[in-house]
Amino acid sequence: MKLLTPFYGKHLEYGATMIDVRGWQLAAVYTSVDEEYRLVRERAGFIDYSFQSAIAVAGRDTFNFMQKMLVNDLRKISPGRAIYSSILDESGRILDDSIVFWVEDNLIIFNGLFTKYQTIDWFKKHTPGFEVSILELGTCFLALQGPKSRDVLQKAMDIKDLPYLSLKQDKLGDIPVLIARCGFSGEIGYELYVYPEYAHELWDTLIELGKEYNVGPYGMGVSAILAIEKGYLTGGDFYEGSTPLELGIEWTVAFDKGDFIGKEALLKRRSEGLKTKLMGFEVTDPKVVASPNDNLVKEGRVVGRVTYRGVYGPAIGKSLGRGWVEIEYAKEGEELELEHEGKRTKVKLARPRWYDPENKIVRG
């Protein structure tokens, strides 16, 4: 079955090349990858992420329930703010990750990837003992990203003082929106959530507001490049047997907050020591771009495997990728070989956060 977002007609109108991702018909590219990359890095562009699964948790026990489900600690934030976290099963395996929106005292939104119904079932399985409701939100959204995104939106609403990882309910012109200052590009950005009946009006409004900067849509092809340059994880990086510890996001795990699902498994794994770790790598030949499941080799032996696909990173000027590596080789600067299409190419392991590693841009 083909799954369409409310923006599907706009994708076709703007000449998108469409791809199928788990049934969803998504825009891969509208003009060219190079042009759309420059659009986001130099001006501002927007992308349809409505395939993501927005799930609302509401009720008097919302806070305590989500503290059990999330690895991060909601006490770090307050209503009107957002936090990055993941949810785990009892073995510590990541089921999904998300920027979690604390909208109001008793309303929190978990905006995951393609796992909506699995996540809803997982949440509902753990509701006994909590007075909460788990609801599928009927919203869609566009993410406006780029150094001029604030200037574009400021023409129609007051967002100049909205801090990074904050959100508010407002109007963009006549369109009621939930706007959050976050994104998946490594640039200043905003996500605008609306009901489907406002989808086309939101698209047209962003085009009109952004005329000064020639704002337009960008596709999933550019989204992957932006995310990998920045070091953002994708679902493809959650390799078999990995937990937040192997994936380099232990900083999100609040071991001191009390009980949460997966805590004991993480403590056990941490005490026993890790066997693998997710690492970035730079390919010596910029024309070689890694594919998922390509082997990483050391002295003729497979010691790792590529997770999500590689990309050429224009801001870095290198072919980049990520993969899991046996822990003894998981060191920055370690040289391995990439097995790709029957040939081996030298790669150097790196911290997988190349673009704005200190987050100065996104917080600006």
Side-chain angles (χ1 to χ4, degrees):
M1 181 179 68
K2 291 186 177 181
L3 302 171
L4 310 179
T5 80
F7 299 100
Y8 181 73
K10 286 296 184 182
H11 296 317
L12 299 184
E13 179 184 339
Y14 278 70
T17 299
M18 306 299 292
I19 54 172
D20 185 294
V21 182
R22 302 192 187 186
W24 286 99
Q25 307 307 297
L26 306 178
V29 64
Y30 299 87
T31 54
S32 73
V33 170
D34 288 345
E35 186 175 330
E36 291 171 24
Y37 179 87
R38 292 195 300 272
L39 174 70
V40 180
R41 285 283 187 245
E42 298 173 5
R43 305 190 309 276
F46 59 84
I47 186 170
D48 172 16
Y49 281 141
S50 301
F51 60 89
Q52 294 187 2
S53 49
I55 300 165
V57 181
R60 61 184 296 177
D61 292 334
T62 293
F63 178 86
N64 291 332
F65 176 76
M66 291 303 284
Q67 283 287 77
K68 176 181 178 180
M69 305 306 294
L70 302 174
V71 303
N72 215 330
D73 190 351
L74 288 170
R75 293 176 301 180
K76 297 176 182 176
I77 61 171
S78 58
R81 301 302 299 265
I83 195 169
Y84 175 63
S85 186
S86 53
I87 55 174
L88 313 179
D89 65 12
E90 289 84 354
S91 72
R93 178 174 65 95
I94 292 185
L95 302 177
D96 206 347
D97 70 335
S98 173
I99 300 291
V100 182
F101 299 158
W102 192 351
V103 183
E104 299 171 356
D105 283 343
N106 296 317
L107 174 61
I108 291 173
I109 294 174
F110 183 91
N111 194 31
L113 290 173
F114 296 96
T115 59
K116 175 167 57 179
Y117 297 112
Q118 297 95 312
T119 302
I120 288 175
D121 290 344
W122 182 251
F123 280 0
K124 286 184 175 180
K125 177 182 177 181
H126 294 90
T127 56
F130 296 94
E131 190 174 315
V132 293
S133 297
I134 312 300
L135 308 169
E136 177 186 350
L137 286 182
T139 55
C140 56
F141 79 101
L142 296 177
L144 179 69
Q145 305 285 297
K148 298 299 183 182
S149 57
R150 179 189 287 125
D151 298 332
V152 169
L153 293 177
Q154 185 63 31
K155 294 178 180 180
M157 63 193 310
D158 184 11
I159 51 120
K160 64 180 182 299
D161 296 323
L162 188 67
Y164 179 57
L165 291 182
S166 293
L167 56 140
K168 67 174 182 175
Q169 299 177 71
D170 206 332
K171 281 195 170 184
L172 184 68
D174 295 325
I175 307 171
V177 299
L178 173 66
I179 181 168
R181 189 172 158 205
C182 57
F184 200 58
S185 68
E187 302 292 341
I188 292 174
Y190 302 84
E191 295 181 352
L192 298 111
Y193 293 80
V194 300
Y195 291 113
E197 57 265 35
Y198 294 103
H200 285 204
E201 186 177 353
L202 174 62
W203 183 295
D204 292 341
T205 298
L206 293 182
I207 292 290
E208 182 63 29
L209 292 173
K211 278 185 175 179
E212 178 182 352
Y213 306 108
N214 197 24
V215 167
Y218 66 98
M220 301 302 293
V222 169
S223 176
I225 297 172
L226 299 169
I228 290 177
E229 283 189 333
K230 176 61 179 168
Y232 292 142
L233 295 179
T234 72
D237 291 308
F238 303 158
Y239 61 93
E240 186 68 27
S242 66
T243 73
L245 308 185
E246 286 85 357
L247 296 172
I249 53 172
E250 183 174 352
W251 59 271
T252 69
V253 182
F255 286 108
D256 61 348
K257 74 168 181 174
D259 191 34
F260 60 86
I261 295 173
K263 179 178 180 178
E264 292 306 315
L266 295 187
L267 288 171
K268 183 173 185 291
R269 183 164 297 196
R270 190 167 66 170
S271 68
E272 292 176 347
L274 305 183
K275 293 181 172 59
T276 63
K277 186 178 180 181
L278 185 72
M279 295 292 294
F281 60 82
E282 301 169 358
V283 187
T284 55
D285 185 345
K287 299 187 294 297
V288 175
V289 178
S291 298
N293 298 315
D294 282 352
N295 289 329
L296 294 168
V297 177
K298 183 72 173 183
E299 297 176 350
R301 187 173 72 85
V302 175
V303 298
R305 189 161 290 123
V306 175
T307 52
Y308 192 64
R309 69 179 179 88
V311 300
Y312 179 78
I316 317 303
K318 297 179 180 180
S319 176
L320 310 172
R322 288 194 291 250
W324 64 262
V325 180
E326 292 178 5
I327 197 67
E328 64 182 291
Y329 303 108
K331 303 183 288 287
E332 293 182 42
E334 183 77 22
E335 292 186 350
L336 304 179
E337 290 181 299
L338 170 73
E339 282 188 345
H340 177 73
E341 296 181 350
K343 298 180 180 180
R344 289 186 181 178
T345 306
K346 290 182 180 180
V347 301
K348 182 178 290 187
L349 298 187
R351 185 169 180 257
R353 295 180 178 87
W354 289 276
Y355 186 78
D356 185 31
E358 304 303 322
N359 283 337
K360 292 180 179 179
I361 293 175
V362 296
R363 295 179 184 278

